[in-house]
Amino acid sequence: MIAYRNISWWYWLATAGLLTAGLAGWTTAFLLAIALSAVNLLHFWIREGRAGAFPVQVRMAYLGILALAFWEPVRLLYWVPFAGTWAMVLFGYCPLARILSLMPWNRTEPMSMGLLRRTFLSPPVRGNILQGLP
């Protein structure tokens, strides 16, 4: 599910590369990843027209994680978006989007084991996970 024709995929690929460089020792790459994620957020906020749009929520949460992880005592936290971003780039599976889809404002059914199973075990879908869940 490599969506190389989608601008979103290119944002994620560039960010994954920067996170890789940062974890390899180039600390400035983390700042570049944060800056690129801010541009990604702004782009999708303008495109979607509102902060509550699901793609914007994902990018806001992602930017928050990257900014938090830049703080030296929790720098190891960068391994989480590193793994999740590469999963998104290589397989179209976005763990963060799946977690956000479970927030009360994003779901229409009560929390259940069935919902958790469908959310985390369903294959990637075109668009976003909210569009792919029943």
Side-chain angles (χ1 to χ4, degrees):
M1 181 105 163
I2 296 177
Y4 64 89
R5 293 179 189 230
N6 188 331
I7 185 72
S8 177
W9 185 84
W10 289 100
Y11 276 124
W12 295 125
L13 176 64
T15 305
L18 288 168
L19 291 177
T20 302
L23 289 168
W26 186 38
T27 307
T28 304
F30 291 136
L31 290 173
L32 294 172
I34 291 169
L36 179 59
S37 294
V39 170
N40 187 358
L41 168 62
L42 184 60
H43 176 188
F44 276 80
W45 195 333
I46 291 167
R47 186 177 103 171
E48 298 293 328
R50 61 189 182 88
F54 192 70
V56 178
Q57 289 180 45
V58 171
R59 285 156 179 83
M60 265 189 220
Y62 188 83
L63 179 58
I65 292 167
L66 293 187
L68 174 66
F70 191 73
W71 184 39
E72 186 65 40
V74 294
R75 188 88 27 109
L76 283 175
L77 184 60
Y78 273 120
W79 286 99
V80 175
F82 167 81
T85 307
W86 278 114
M88 176 63 197
V89 168
L90 297 174
F91 307 111
Y93 185 96
C94 182
L96 180 58
R98 289 166 187 262
I99 291 167
L100 283 173
S101 76
L102 296 172
M103 295 296 112
W105 58 86
N106 286 329
R107 61 182 159 86
T108 56
E109 67 179 277
M111 187 66 73
S112 67
M113 285 306 292
L115 177 61
L116 290 172
R117 197 172 17 261
R118 284 192 316 275
T119 299
F120 291 107
L121 300 179
S122 64
V125 296
R126 206 173 289 292
N128 66 55
I129 188 69
L130 291 182
Q131 297 165 332
L133 290 175

